[in-house]
Amino acid sequence: MELTGADIFVHSLQDEGVEIIFGYPGGAVLHIYDALYRQDKIQHILTRHEQGATHAADGYARSTGKPGVVIVTSGPGATNAVTGIATAYMDSIPMVVFTGQVPTHLIGNDAFQEADNIGITRPCVKHNFLVKDVRDLAETIKKAFYVATTGRPGPVVVDIPKDITAEKTEYSYPDKVSMRSYNPVHVGHAGQIKRAVKLMLAAKRPMIYTGGGVILGNAAGSLTELAQLLGHPVTNTLMGLGAYPATERQFVGMLGMHGTYEANMAMHHCDVLIAIGARFDDRVTGNIEKFCPHAKIVHVDIDPSSISKNVKVDVPIVGCVDNVLKAMIKLIKGSKQRPDGAALKDWWQQIEDWRSKDCLKYDHTSELIKPQYVLESLYKATDGNAFVTSDVGQHQMWAAQFYKFDKPRRWINSGGLGTMGFGLPAAMGVQLAYRDETVVCVTGEGSIQMCIQELSTCKQYALPLKIVNLNNGYLGMVRQWQEFFYQGRYAMSYMESLPDFVKLAESYGHVGMKIEKPGDVESALEEAMAMKDRLVFMDFITDPAENVYPMIPAGGGQNEMILI
Amino acid sequence: MRHIISILMENEAGALSRVAGLFSARGYNIESLTVAPTEDPSLSRMTLVTRGTDEIIEQITKQLNKLVDVVKLMDMTDGPHIEREMMLTKVRAEGDGREELKRVSDIFRGRIIDVTDKTYTIELTGAGDKLDAFLQVLDRALIIEVVRSGVSGIARGERALKL
């Protein structure tokens, strides 16, 4: 049967198994919206801004592992989506973003609401497509999902001119698609895996360092098995939290700029580093010249270009993390060699020594609310079981330090791009995927205002998010750097005229709470969590002078942390 | 070190800008870049000359391979190869100078492909340093314009970049 491009679009998404899409209508996508209106299999979530739509789809993807799907109109619709696309790109999140485009004959004419979407998004997508013929539409959509979700995942943009959505052709959705230029690797090199296992078994001061790749590759189970088989300490990056249970003894905390002392010291002193699905980001390595000076490095990653990009490694292994870890487990189980128990015992003693510094300690006697205390209380109030999204800044670091994630896909934050405004819309995407779960957005008064309009979306779709606003009146991380490195010249890091967040939440139809005393923190959180069907905006007035510790200052090595 | 990287890519609009964009976004330098369709019209072949340490060249080839439109690539400089560039040079050729220019062109195995009473246009093919050498022996004041094609390269013997 012949269908219009708009109907082909909708049928293709249905056949792809898409259940929910996030978007915002406009002139160039009107045919598509009309086709969406005439069906009821796919739910469309109307956000208040295209950035919100992309972050919501991103949160949905991070929490479920399924690709997030977005539709926006041409011109400003697409340019507003760019921040969300770039955010997903930096963290390798599978997403397919459909952008409207002016009709084919007007492309290049500076038409109304025309932008070069392909050109603008090129540096921040895994790949993008311009559909030039309605007969290519279904196959292009199939390719977009295939590219977005395989190999190292990432966002894919499909730009669809308006006339294509009106033209008709026969519809058939391909079951499979293959591209001669795109063949992601699945299985790691057997010889390299053998070399790696040999190093791991012989290690005297081993360290397992894992990143977002373990979560994206659904390899948390294999990682836990491997680490426990070996008895090695495990650290996770900001993106990797939850890949190894944080309450387990072998977990030494997050590493990097605001990681724990024990994690960073163990990195610095280890003799074998096993990096899995991590990319040696500058916030992790600190000064690259001083990084892991004594270690032989094994690096498992699905993306060959991640290997030896920042740090030269000794045993590179390209492949799906889960496949490689399973192969390692099999080899270790079949090997006569056991880990060096005596050496590991000494190593653990050393690590416990570092751990005893209690690097995350803070003042419990203050009359002001300490943000760390809010996070600790949140952890208790949610039994450590919530999905937690965050924005970017001090609150993000405190959430990462103090909320102990035992499961993957529970900690949702913009690690790579560091996008303020991410937390609230991302939480919406999570809540839409998990209607009955507790979803918390940890944010600050700076970040929350960057996508505050989405409170309206939350009302429309009855999303009972719990927003924990750590309100210190400052752009806290900027303030902290200005205190440390700019002699306290607080240029533009103080916000005057903040809104009354309680009234603001109420005006959107939600519950607002203001908490000003440490003694009220726990009861407020409990009260909020008990309101299962309402969005509660908790405005915690916190100590404005609190800083995130410990910290590796810029240019420092991992053994040069500033402790409180 | 200087490297010549040959790339087979899907002959799609925008493929060239993906490569050029990658180089500018990651701060790699491009000395020259040529691109044209191959005998299979669905494929383009690009020849790219760049410079960098071994680590940078490794990253460049990995990043190029990561581009979805790139089907296959080869670093020509990994093995014996032939490198050619074509140059068209328009020179002022008047009076006694005409004979001298003809001689220089012959020495370099150039061909004069256009003649007027005041100018010669000389076509010259060879490796880049040969073209440089030719330009050096010409009197600068006589050169009207120079057009270089950029480098093309092919591996010697059995080694080939093909699907």
Side-chain angles (χ1 to χ4, degrees), chain A residues 160-365:
Chain A
I160 309 176
K162 186 170 186 181
D163 53 325
I164 303 286
T165 63
E167 283 164 17
K168 284 186 167 179
T169 192
E170 282 293 326
Y171 170 70
S172 80
Y173 196 65
D175 290 334
K176 270 201 339 211
V177 69
S178 78
M179 295 162 76
R180 63 179 173 184
S181 60
Y182 176 72
N183 299 293
V185 179
H186 295 287
V187 183
H189 187 279
Q192 292 291 78
I193 294 176
K194 212 178 268 177
R195 279 181 64 203
V197 165
K198 220 168 147 187
L199 271 177
M200 287 149 75
L201 285 171
K204 299 199 181 305
R205 298 186 312 279
M207 186 69 179
I208 300 176
Y209 142 59
T210 85
V214 174
I215 296 191
L216 293 166
N218 298 315
S222 303
L223 170 68
T224 307
E225 190 182 348
L226 177 77
Q228 295 185 351
L229 201 56
L230 291 164
H232 292 180
V234 183
T235 181
N236 292 156
T237 67
L238 179 67
M239 293 309 300
L241 293 174
Y244 190 85
T247 51
E248 221 276 335
R249 189 191 66 95
Q250 274 171 252
F251 187 65
V252 296
M254 179 173 79
L255 81 165
M257 182 174 274
H258 293 297
T260 65
Y261 182 66
E262 51 270 32
N264 284 322
M265 289 302 275
M267 288 290 289
H268 185 79
H269 289 95
C270 70
D271 69 342
V272 173
L273 179 68
I274 305 132
I276 307 168
R279 59 185 178 88
F280 298 83
D281 173 78
D282 55 281
R283 285 294 192 268
V284 157
T285 60
N287 187 335
I288 212 102
E289 305 293 326
K290 303 176 186 171
F291 179 75
C292 291
H294 318 291
K296 288 261 182 231
I297 303 178
V298 175
H299 188 188
V300 184
D301 205 289
I302 198 161
D303 179 1
S305 75
S306 267
I307 291 174
S308 293
K309 181 176 71 179
N310 300 332
V311 171
K312 196 112 188 89
V313 304
D314 302 285
V315 186
I317 303 172
V318 177
C320 271
V321 168
D322 199 45
N323 285 343
V324 174
L325 293 185
K326 285 199 166 104
M328 286 176 167
I329 291 167
K330 206 170 150 199
L331 273 183
I332 293 168
K333 282 184 172 165
S335 162
K336 284 191 206 92
Q337 199 185 345
R338 293 292 89 195
D340 184 341
L344 282 182
K345 202 175 156 212
D346 289 349
W347 179 227
W348 270 110
Q349 187 128 37
Q350 172 67 72
I351 290 170
E352 292 304 336
D353 257 14
W354 289 322
R355 179 136 58 184
S356 68
K357 288 240 182 207
D358 191 13
C359 66
L360 297 180
K361 61 179 176 272
Y362 62 92
D363 176 9
H364 283 82
T365 58

Side-chain angles (χ1 to χ4, degrees), chain A residues 129-176:
Chain A
F129 298 93
L130 170 64
V131 182
K132 283 181 282 191
D133 189 322
V134 69
R135 286 167 297 182
D136 299 335
L137 182 58
E139 194 186 343
T140 305
I141 292 174
K142 183 78 196 174
K143 279 185 185 169
F145 279 94
Y146 172 59
V147 171
T149 54
T150 51
R152 179 178 183 170
V156 173
V157 164
V158 182
D159 198 28
I160 309 176
K162 186 170 186 181
D163 53 325
I164 303 286
T165 63
E167 283 164 17
K168 284 186 167 179
T169 192
E170 282 293 326
Y171 170 70
S172 80
Y173 196 65
D175 290 334
K176 270 201 339 211

Side-chain angles (χ1 to χ4, degrees), chain A residues 89 118 122-123 125-129 132 147 152 179-182 303-309 312, chain B residues 10 12-14 17-18 21 25-26 40 42-43 55 58-59 62-63 65-71 163:
Chain A
Y89 181 65
I118 294 296
R122 190 184 304 114
V125 293
K126 184 168 172 188
H127 196 55
N128 57 20
F129 298 93
K132 283 181 282 191
V147 171
R152 179 178 183 170
M179 295 162 76
R180 63 179 173 184
S181 60
Y182 176 72
D303 179 1
S305 75
S306 267
I307 291 174
S308 293
K309 181 176 71 179
K312 196 112 188 89
Chain B
E10 298 291 353
E12 304 253 352
S17 61
R18 288 183 210 279
R26 295 201 179 259
D40 171 354
S42 71
L43 283 174
E55 289 76 28
E58 183 185 334
Q59 262 304 307
K62 283 173 168 178
Q63 293 291 348
N65 264 316
K66 200 165 138 182
L67 293 176
V68 169
D69 281 339
V70 169
V71 184
L163 290 194

Side-chain angles (χ1 to χ4, degrees), chain B residues 6-8 34-38 43-47 76 153-154 161:
Chain B
S6 294
I7 308 162
L8 282 180
T34 67
V35 60
T38 64
L43 283 174
S44 287
R45 179 159 173 148
M46 182 181 283
T47 309
M76 287 294 145
I154 196 162
L161 175 63

Side-chain angles (χ1 to χ4, degrees), chain A residues 295-546:
Chain A
K296 288 261 182 231
I297 303 178
V298 175
H299 188 188
V300 184
D301 205 289
I302 198 161
D303 179 1
S305 75
S306 267
I307 291 174
S308 293
K309 181 176 71 179
N310 300 332
V311 171
K312 196 112 188 89
V313 304
D314 302 285
V315 186
I317 303 172
V318 177
C320 271
V321 168
D322 199 45
N323 285 343
V324 174
L325 293 185
K326 285 199 166 104
M328 286 176 167
I329 291 167
K330 206 170 150 199
L331 273 183
I332 293 168
K333 282 184 172 165
S335 162
K336 284 191 206 92
Q337 199 185 345
R338 293 292 89 195
D340 184 341
L344 282 182
K345 202 175 156 212
D346 289 349
W347 179 227
W348 270 110
Q349 187 128 37
Q350 172 67 72
I351 290 170
E352 292 304 336
D353 257 14
W354 289 322
R355 179 136 58 184
S356 68
K357 288 240 182 207
D358 191 13
C359 66
L360 297 180
K361 61 179 176 272
Y362 62 92
D363 176 9
H364 283 82
T365 58
S366 170
E367 285 179 15
L368 299 170
I369 297 178
K370 290 288 179 181
Q372 299 95 324
Y373 176 60
V374 179
L375 268 311
E376 273 189 335
S377 306
L378 173 69
Y379 178 72
K380 280 189 214 146
T382 54
D383 297 323
N385 257 328
F387 286 85
V388 179
T389 74
S390 90
D391 274 298
V392 171
Q394 286 184 317
H395 67 268
Q396 177 190 26
M397 292 299 113
W398 284 315
Q401 290 175 336
F402 287 89
Y403 202 100
K404 301 183 196 69
F405 295 93
D406 280 340
K407 293 180 207 154
R409 300 195 181 278
R410 299 258 156 168
W411 166 238
I412 312 283
N413 83 126
S414 164
L417 195 67
T419 308
M420 291 170 72
F422 175 80
L424 173 58
M428 302 189 320
V430 178
Q431 188 82 76
L432 282 157
Y434 298 96
R435 278 285 186 175
D436 299 324
E437 300 277 345
T438 304
V439 181
V440 181
C441 167
V442 176
T443 183
E445 81 289 342
S447 284
I448 191 69
Q449 291 189 85
M450 284 210 183
C451 270
I452 193 94
Q453 75 285 347
E454 299 305 332
L455 284 174
S456 170
T457 313
C458 294
K459 182 66 185 168
Q460 181 169 350
Y461 297 98
L463 305 177
L465 305 179
K466 304 295 176 275
I467 298 174
V468 172
N469 188 40
L470 299 178
N471 184 347
N472 59 3
Y474 280 100
L475 300 175
M477 193 57 93
V478 175
R479 197 208 68 90
Q480 176 168 340
W481 281 58
Q482 288 170 336
E483 178 187 330
F484 288 1
F485 310 119
Y486 297 87
Q487 291 81 44
R489 293 187 297 277
Y490 298 119
M492 295 298 139
S493 55
Y494 177 69
M495 279 195 177
E496 281 181 65
S497 312
L498 286 174
D500 178 334
F501 285 108
V502 173
K503 283 188 186 152
L504 183 80
E506 285 169 359
S507 81
Y508 277 110
H510 303 304
V511 179
M513 292 163 78
K514 185 170 185 173
I515 304 99
E516 294 174 279
K517 287 200 260 354
D520 297 337
V521 169
E522 289 188 18
S523 55
L525 281 164
E526 270 162 37
E527 194 186 328
M529 295 305 155
M531 285 187 254
K532 295 272 180 219
D533 56 350
R534 298 296 300 276
L535 184 149
V536 185
F537 191 114
M538 290 161 272
D539 189 22
F540 291 93
I541 309 304
T542 61
D543 182 352
E546 189 60 37

